[in-house]
Amino acid sequence: MPVVDIDPDELRQLTGTDKDDDRLKDDLFGLGLEYEGETEEGELQFEFAPDRLDRLSVEGVARSLRYHYGEERGTYVPPTNDPDWTIEIDDVPEERPYVTGAVIRGVDLDEAGLDSLIQLQEKLHATMGRKRAKGAIGIHDLTMLKGKSLSEEAGPSIRYTGVEPDEPRFVPLDSDRELTPAEVLEDHATGREYADLVEDYDRYPAIYDELGLFSFPPVINGRRTEVSTDSRELFVELTGTDQWTIDRMCAIVCYALSARGATIEEVEVEHPDGTLLRPDFEVREKRVSHDRIERMLGMEFDPETLIDCFERSGLSATQVLGEETAYDVEIPPYRVDVLHPVDLIDDVGRAYGFDGLIPSYPDVSTVGGRHERTRLEDATRNVLVGLGFEDTLNFHLTNEAENAERMGIEPGEGVLGAGEPATIREPYSEDYTIVRTWALPSLLMVLENNTHRSYPQDLAEVGFAAELDDSTETGVAERRTVAGVLARTDASYEDTKGRLQALARSFDVELETPPTEHPSFIDGRAASVVLDGEEAGIVGEIHPAVLVEHDLELPVAAFEFRLDALE
């Protein structure tokens, strides 16, 4: 989940409070921001749910606190000045056709403000922009731009277009020589990092003013328009593959700069189908019923209390009387997380304080209890811990490289983990594009991330895995899986089999281990896990190539099998 670095003194200044760090941590925890630690510079680090992207900067966090304290109420939309600048869209690459922007005037950027702006930009790239693939932000010193007038009556303009890879030359950020876009992708560190986003394009995206190319989105800006603490007027441009996404990203940036005293000025975006005025500060509206709020939160509320909670969440609400009481709620443009009335109810709960909700027993005639599968999972975990394993809980989502390529297997080759994975149609991150087909890759990733810790490291997980299967009703075969790894100087097949044998005896099932082959394991040091005559998994020593791929310098032995084989 996203982590934001916040200077506590700056947070107090922007919030208008003198609360100490501990009280700020408690208040932010109530808003869903969990304290994670401090940086070397003394900044506080907070982790929060990835839906509240408006809190990726100290300005957004301060805004939430001001609403929480009642210092501000209701939906706020920054005033905007009429447009002077125009963005002209001309023959852009079809892979990245959308652009938006805003002019920022009168901003006061000290070092802290500039650092916060850069952090917001990069974290929006990593989250909503999907590592710049879906949306990328360029921020420029407006005084260094020379706009071209489209007519005698029109103001200055810039042009978003497509260029040949070897055609224009410009000086990119962190460079002192002119490069073509193709040379940027080969010779510049940032260019090499983001080359995969545009290298297959026939023509590269580019933004020009009258002096020439000053932005090569989504890769890098030109040095000529670099922003510094002396910059007082900015031009913000965003390009991407989805208009809604870049408009919302632009709104979040504009709100953050407005919090520092800036004035927002509209820009005209001219494209073949018409003209758009940006930034898009449209206020959306959703309706939620009074009864639904009470049922979900488990308490009775009067309308005045609910309206107060909405307003202290940065929303405006109007009571609607009819067959049932409801509320029309206005949602500001930076709240990209509000997709459903349930999201509004969550805001009410946080504003009221979940600690203040009164617990009550549900009015049902049944008595709850653990599912038999859950009992089996807990019993398996207890035995594994007793055998010396440390229990872990890993993400069920992963990507194809982690799930298969780094494990040395090819999808569909008929071994454990090689089943066809269920894919996410529109993944939020390139790191999580599929549901894992087995758990061992997750455990090896944990080992990879903990090479700085002492050994031995004996880890286990009882978790979820799935793969496509047309014979099932849903088309996906889901299962609970048991996996374990032993990372130590003396890790061996025999030791791992011994622990597996002890686990089998605890559940009164018979273990057999006939030899087998698997690309992730050393030939001759791997066996099938057969429980009560049914093949359920694999045990053995991890192949050296897999260890090298995960930067592991000690031998690792491992096993994985279906949980239901212990029943």
Side-chain angles (χ1 to χ4, degrees):
M1 293 196 292
V3 175
V4 61
D5 301 339
I6 293 177
D7 183 335
D9 293 331
E10 190 176 19
L11 179 62
R12 278 185 279 267
Q13 178 184 351
L14 290 170
T15 307
T17 184
D18 58 358
K19 292 188 177 185
D20 60 28
D21 290 358
D22 290 334
R23 293 183 65 189
L24 286 175
K25 293 174 190 176
D26 290 339
D27 292 341
L28 290 173
F29 183 79
L31 293 175
L33 289 88
E34 186 171 352
Y35 175 68
E36 285 291 302
E38 293 187 14
T39 66
E40 294 180 356
E41 294 77 19
E43 293 185 328
L44 306 181
Q45 293 184 308
F46 292 92
E47 183 182 61
F48 58 95
D51 55 347
R52 288 302 302 267
L53 300 180
D54 56 295
R55 293 173 175 167
L56 286 172
S57 67
V58 65
E59 296 87 359
V61 174
R63 183 191 313 117
S64 294
L65 280 178
R66 291 196 303 272
Y67 278 122
H68 187 64
Y69 297 152
E71 299 297 328
E72 295 183 4
R73 307 181 72 87
T75 300
Y76 170 74
V77 177
T80 56
N81 292 342
D82 292 338
D84 184 28
W85 284 76
T86 299
I87 303 175
E88 178 189 5
I89 300 178
D90 177 30
D91 194 22
V92 297
E94 62 180 13
E95 298 92 343
R96 202 173 186 90
Y98 301 107
V99 65
T100 190
V103 169
I104 311 297
R105 298 191 186 275
V107 66
D108 184 11
L109 286 179
D110 55 12
E111 286 291 345
L114 183 57
D115 289 344
S116 178
L117 179 59
I118 293 172
Q119 176 182 233
L120 176 61
Q121 179 184 16
E122 290 308 314
K123 288 189 179 293
L124 282 173
H125 282 162
T127 53
M128 200 171 185
R130 296 186 184 174
K131 298 183 179 179
R132 306 193 188 185
K134 195 172 185 179
I137 307 167
I139 304 176
H140 310 271
D141 189 325
L142 182 66
T143 61
M144 302 305 296
L145 292 177
K146 184 178 181 181
K148 177 181 178 181
S149 296
L150 298 177
S151 65
E152 293 183 0
E153 298 81 13
S157 72
I158 60 174
R159 183 165 56 98
Y160 177 44
T161 186
V163 297
E164 297 297 325
D166 298 316
E167 182 179 291
R169 304 186 73 86
F170 74 113
V171 180
L173 286 173
D174 301 323
S175 179
D176 56 4
R177 64 189 182 97
E178 288 190 337
L179 301 172
T180 66
E183 290 172 339
V184 168
L185 302 186
E186 294 178 0
D187 302 336
H188 197 287
T190 303
R192 290 191 296 270
E193 182 177 358
Y194 296 103
D196 62 309
L197 297 179
V198 297
E199 61 187 359
D200 293 332
Y201 291 10
D202 293 331
R203 300 168 70 249
Y204 290 167
I207 302 180
Y208 281 81
D209 67 352
E210 195 168 354
L211 299 178
L213 188 152
F214 68 89
S215 180
F216 174 23
V219 180
I220 197 168
N221 293 339
R223 183 175 174 180
R224 168 164 60 95
T225 59
E226 182 176 5
V227 176
S228 70
T229 54
D230 295 326
S231 302
R232 294 293 177 265
E233 297 186 342
L234 309 177
F235 195 102
V236 180
E237 46 84 5
L238 298 90
T239 64
T241 60
D242 178 73
Q243 186 72 52
W244 183 90
T245 297
I246 59 175
D247 280 338
R248 300 286 73 75
M249 292 170 68
C250 184
I252 292 172
V253 172
C254 288
Y255 267 82
L257 292 170
S258 174
R260 293 190 176 272
T263 299
I264 312 299
E265 182 179 296
E266 294 177 330
V267 300
E268 290 185 341
V269 180
E270 291 195 354
H271 55 88
D273 298 327
T275 300
L276 299 175
L277 278 181
R278 290 297 186 264
D280 180 11
F281 285 164
E282 179 185 4
V283 174
R284 296 175 295 134
E285 189 174 282
K286 286 189 179 294
R287 177 171 293 187
V288 59
S289 70
H290 187 100
D291 179 66
R292 187 173 190 179
I293 297 173
E294 292 185 334
R295 282 189 289 108
M296 184 159 289
L297 296 181
M299 280 185 60
E300 294 184 358
F301 297 92
D302 58 68
E304 291 76 16
T305 299
L306 291 181
I307 290 176
D308 174 71
C309 289
F310 280 126
E311 290 181 348
R312 289 194 297 108
S313 300
L315 310 169
S316 296
T318 303
Q319 185 178 0
V320 180
L321 300 177
E323 293 184 3
E324 65 173 5
T325 301
Y327 304 90
D328 286 338
V329 182
E330 293 182 349
I331 305 157
Y334 63 83
R335 287 295 302 274
V336 298
D337 59 302
V338 180
L339 305 176
H340 190 276
V342 171
D343 298 314
L344 301 176
I345 299 173
D346 178 73
D347 276 1
V348 170
R350 293 190 182 278
Y352 186 83
F354 285 123
D355 291 342
L357 300 179
I358 301 173
S360 62
Y361 286 101
D363 186 18
V364 294
S365 58
T366 60
V367 177
R370 291 187 176 183
H371 192 280
E372 286 301 319
R373 187 190 68 196
T374 303
R375 294 177 185 271
L376 179 59
E377 290 176 0
D378 290 345
T380 305
R381 290 190 181 99
N382 287 334
V383 174
L384 288 168
V385 171
L387 292 171
F389 289 96
E390 184 173 350
D391 187 39
T392 64
L393 178 64
N394 295 300
F395 292 126
H396 299 159
L397 297 183
T398 184
N399 57 75
E400 293 183 358
E402 298 289 355
N403 190 69
E405 294 175 19
R406 300 186 71 199
M407 297 298 293
I409 65 176
E410 294 289 338
E413 64 177 306
V415 296
L416 178 65
E420 185 176 357
T423 60
I424 310 301
R425 181 174 296 176
E426 295 186 9
Y428 195 77
S429 167
E430 293 179 357
D431 295 330
Y432 306 107
T433 58
I434 65 170
V435 180
R436 67 182 183 181
T437 59
W438 57 327
L440 273 183
S442 300
L443 292 178
L444 286 176
M445 288 171 64
V446 175
L447 292 177
E448 181 180 13
N449 293 328
N450 287 276
T451 55
H452 61 290
R453 299 188 179 274
S454 61
Y455 289 91
Q457 295 181 24
D458 300 343
L459 310 177
E461 180 185 2
V462 180
F464 176 85
E467 59 187 53
L468 298 184
D469 185 350
D470 293 336
S471 66
T472 63
E473 182 178 356
T474 61
V476 178
E478 303 177 5
R479 71 179 187 279
R480 294 287 165 171
T481 187
V482 182
V485 293
L486 282 73
R488 49 175 63 213
T489 57
D490 58 349
S492 66
Y493 166 80
E494 290 77 13
D495 188 14
T496 312
K497 178 184 174 181
R499 299 200 191 192
L500 195 57
Q501 182 72 64
L503 177 62
R505 287 174 181 169
S506 298
F507 290 89
D508 196 25
V509 295
E510 181 181 352
L511 172 67
E512 299 175 72
T513 53
T516 190
E517 293 183 356
H518 191 290
S520 301
F521 294 82
I522 299 174
D523 289 345
R525 303 296 290 171
S528 296
V529 175
V530 179
L531 297 172
D532 280 348
E534 182 180 355
E535 185 172 342
I538 191 168
V539 58
E541 298 176 12
I542 298 296
H543 198 284
V546 177
L547 299 180
V548 170
E549 179 66 32
H550 290 82
D551 296 326
L552 299 175
E553 299 180 355
L554 292 179
V556 176
F559 64 82
E560 180 166 350
F561 63 91
R562 296 194 326 273
L563 174 67
D564 59 14
L566 294 177
E567 294 178 340

